[in-house]
Amino acid sequence: MRLKDAISTLSFGQKRGKLNVMYTQWGECVAQESKKSDYVPLKEYPRPQMRRKQYQILNGWWRYMVVKEKSWEIPRGRKFQGKILVPFSPESLLSGADFQLLPGETLWYEREVDLKPEENQGRRLLLHFGAVDQECKVFWNGTLVGEHLGGYLPFSMDITGYVREGKNKIQVACRDESDTGWRTRGKQKLEAGGMFYTAQSGIWQTVWLEWVPDVYVRRLKISPDYDSEALDLGIYPGGSKPGEVSSLWVEVYEGDGLVYRHEAQMQKESVTVHLKIPNFHKWSPEDPFLYGLRVGLGEDVVESYFAMRVFTKEPDTQGVPRLCLNHRPYFFNGVLDQGYWPDGLCTAPTDDALRADIIRMKRLGFRLMRKHCKIEPLRWYYHCDRLGMVVWQDMVNGGESYDMKRLCYLPTVLPKLTEGKSWSAAAAGRKNMKGCQEWLAECRETIRTLYNSPCVGAWVIFNEGWGQFATEPVTRMVKKADPSRPVDSASGWFDCGCGDIKSVHNYFETLICPKDRRTGKIEEARACVISEYGGLALAIEGHLSSDRVYGYRKLKTGEEFQRRYEQFQSQLKKLQREGLSAAIYTQVSDIEDEINGIYTYDRKVCKLQ
């Protein structure tokens, strides 16, 4: 145990000053382009696995005002305080607003949209939001048309009956309790520092409109059946008469070539089509092959894709449980990815920026990115699908205030004390049952939202005890919702012996395979994984976001960083032979105080040669 390094990570009541202004190369372009009044950032189609042609991106300059009270009444007779560049949260540099929304305040957005409904007779208009943090209500021409709780998931509403010819007004009201409430917040903290980062609020993913026929494809559920050489495709209709008889067809493409076509009649509220895919081309990080998919329902046509692959836990020839890809043991060499940006916070400046992190990590030899305490826009998962990067998806943590001394600091020094138990509900921030129920609903919705993504290879339910509760029942719920993927019930510590993975964090001791606490041997039922390690901290002058630095092993030179990293890789090769299935290095980039990144926070310097 490196006690000196461990103690250096403790922070009791320390406060930091204002962060340094820092842009990525993509953020610099956005800052320049956004000087134009008609600039539209992130204008790529937001939902790659269910694409249509008739849509309108509503990103761009909106008006805003902050009301200093909790009220959902549309403010009348008040002047707007400025303009904000959607979808960047007001706390980010790229938003152009530069303020922190506080608990008890309401942020109002407003803009006009020109529409021509007469050109879309018999069609419906859907309004989509990628994500709004944390709670919002949406008004169209002064009428409440929808609301949403939770800051990380997409939602939509049908506004057909509220649309008029010409100018239409959209208003969005947002509130965010951040870490003062029980809702999901990930690593956001109002008094940020160390391993917790600037709290953001409001609209932070793309807003868009989409015209659809009166009966349309509302959702697809794409389930590759690897062992049967087939695809089970669930089709769920929407519209005013989703149960009426409609023609249905499905086409599967390999490259540009049509390899399968299925035709039927749709007369139920949902249908599952079983498609045979003989002699299929399997997906892997080394060969990320995607099949094209087109679905027609009446007049509606959507384009999608899928991959033939399977993630399992199976014994190897020695009986050691291994995580497998396509029924073969596969070592998941991973990196922790928190998805923060100095200029956009949780919102990447551009689609190219989203893609660049994945490409760079793959070039460095990683085949897995653990998306940590955050859900990305769907385009990020699309890039992982097509570039060949496996994703382990964290559920975003919630709950009230955490007792960090008991949840983090003590387990770091004495990890064995946390085996097979969890601290009280109060320590984990779980005193409020309503907060638990909201989290369970978001957990199920996270699975539904990302279920179709081929790259998602495992679900990570709880991290280091933050908001942890009812671990075994929650694990059963997740396995029932998605039996096709392994589950890491408790990453780090507070392991309750359930799930498919024995998962530990190790920053301050020699790396070893996680063992059964009773036998001292590798478990017979669960694969062993080091779900966080490394955290080498190297400050690069001229590329620091904060005057304070935080890290798990502070180094002085790039040469030492390289040497320590190579030592880790050498240790992992030995542990693979002993039974280690995966290891996840901390982390992709520096974030604010935390300088544990392979890249600097502005993504301009790579610390590895």
Side-chain angles (χ1 to χ4, degrees), residues 537-539 553-561:
L538 177 64
R553 178 180 283 190
K554 296 184 177 69
L555 307 177
K556 295 182 178 179
T557 67
E559 290 77 14
E560 188 179 8
F561 187 98

Side-chain angles (χ1 to χ4, degrees), residues 244-534:
E244 70 179 18
V245 177
S246 300
S247 61
L248 170 69
W249 55 265
V250 178
E251 293 178 342
V252 175
Y253 290 84
E254 187 168 352
D256 295 328
L258 177 66
V259 296
Y260 190 94
R261 181 178 171 89
H262 174 89
E263 296 184 13
Q265 292 292 313
M266 181 87 169
Q267 49 188 340
K268 300 178 182 179
E269 292 192 359
S270 68
V271 66
T272 298
V273 179
H274 187 73
L275 308 173
K276 294 298 291 185
I277 316 290
N279 303 313
F280 60 77
H281 191 153
K282 60 189 176 184
W283 183 97
S284 70
E286 293 72 30
D287 183 14
F289 182 82
L290 300 175
Y291 283 91
L293 182 66
R294 297 181 77 233
V295 178
L297 178 62
E299 297 178 6
D300 193 23
V301 177
V302 296
E303 295 185 352
S304 185
Y305 64 86
F306 67 93
M308 297 301 293
R309 89 300 172 255
V310 63
F311 296 101
T312 55
K313 172 185 62 67
E314 304 175 33
D316 64 13
T317 56
Q318 305 300 314
V320 176
R322 299 275 187 174
L323 294 177
C324 298
L325 173 61
N326 302 331
H327 294 307
R328 292 180 177 272
Y330 190 98
F331 185 74
F332 292 92
N333 183 29
V335 60
L336 195 73
D337 179 20
Q338 312 216 45
Y340 272 77
W341 304 83
D343 37 27
L345 294 181
C346 285
T347 309
T350 67
D351 195 60
D352 284 344
L354 270 184
R355 188 167 57 245
D357 270 2
I358 303 165
I359 292 171
R360 288 173 171 181
M361 291 303 106
K362 194 165 185 187
R363 285 175 180 166
L364 289 170
F366 296 108
R367 296 295 180 265
L368 161 71
M369 296 175 84
R370 177 184 167 197
K371 182 53 65 174
H372 191 38
C373 302
K374 182 194 177 189
I375 299 167
E376 289 286 2
L378 293 176
R379 289 196 64 84
W380 184 82
Y381 301 92
Y382 161 66
H383 291 313
C384 289
D385 291 337
R386 67 182 190 83
L387 293 171
M389 182 65 78
V390 177
V391 175
W392 285 9
Q393 178 64 51
D394 283 19
M395 301 299 168
V396 182
N397 54 292
E400 296 168 284
S401 296
Y402 305 145
D403 184 340
M404 294 300 291
K405 294 177 186 176
R406 288 195 282 175
L407 290 186
C408 276
Y409 303 148
L410 184 60
T412 296
V413 179
L414 299 170
K416 291 184 179 180
L417 291 181
T418 69
E419 290 278 356
K421 64 176 288 187
S422 59
W423 290 110
S424 65
R430 284 301 182 193
K431 294 180 288 185
N432 189 294
M433 184 53 63
K434 184 178 179 181
C436 294
Q437 294 303 318
E438 282 189 13
W439 185 90
L440 289 171
E442 285 193 46
C443 179
R444 289 189 289 267
E445 184 65 13
T446 298
I447 295 169
R448 193 194 71 81
T449 299
L450 300 179
Y451 178 88
N452 293 343
S453 298
C455 64
V456 176
W459 303 111
V460 182
I461 301 178
F462 296 115
N463 180 76
E464 295 186 352
W466 304 344
Q468 186 170 340
F469 68 99
T471 308
E472 293 178 74
V474 172
T475 301
R476 289 195 294 271
M477 181 195 78
V478 171
K479 292 293 288 185
K480 183 178 180 180
D482 181 10
S484 70
R485 293 175 170 99
V487 171
D488 180 353
S489 298
S491 178
W493 32 77
F494 304 117
D495 175 27
C496 295
C498 51
D500 302 295
I501 296 169
K502 170 70 174 176
S503 173
V504 301
H505 295 178
N506 186 345
Y507 287 112
F508 304 111
E509 297 187 18
T510 301
L511 297 183
I512 59 171
C513 275
K515 303 288 193 346
D516 187 302
R517 66 181 184 277
R518 295 161 297 183
T519 66
K521 299 179 180 179
I522 291 174
E523 292 191 11
E524 295 180 358
R526 297 190 297 171
C528 58
V529 165
I530 301 173
S531 49
E532 291 183 28
Y533 78 98

Side-chain angles (χ1 to χ4, degrees), residues 185-244:
R185 59 182 180 272
K187 301 291 282 290
Q188 300 181 58
K189 205 171 191 305
L190 287 168
E191 292 189 7
M195 70 174 78
F196 295 99
Y197 319 128
T198 299
Q200 66 154 40
S201 57
I203 299 170
W204 68 278
Q205 290 188 28
T206 291
V207 186
W208 50 299
L209 292 168
E210 186 173 45
W211 289 100
V212 297
D214 194 43
V215 176
Y216 62 94
V217 178
R218 177 174 55 86
R219 180 166 77 93
L220 297 174
K221 185 176 182 180
I222 303 172
S223 304
D225 188 343
Y226 187 93
D227 295 338
S228 298
E229 296 187 311
L231 178 77
D232 290 321
L233 178 64
I235 302 164
Y236 299 80
S240 60
K241 300 176 182 177
E244 70 179 18

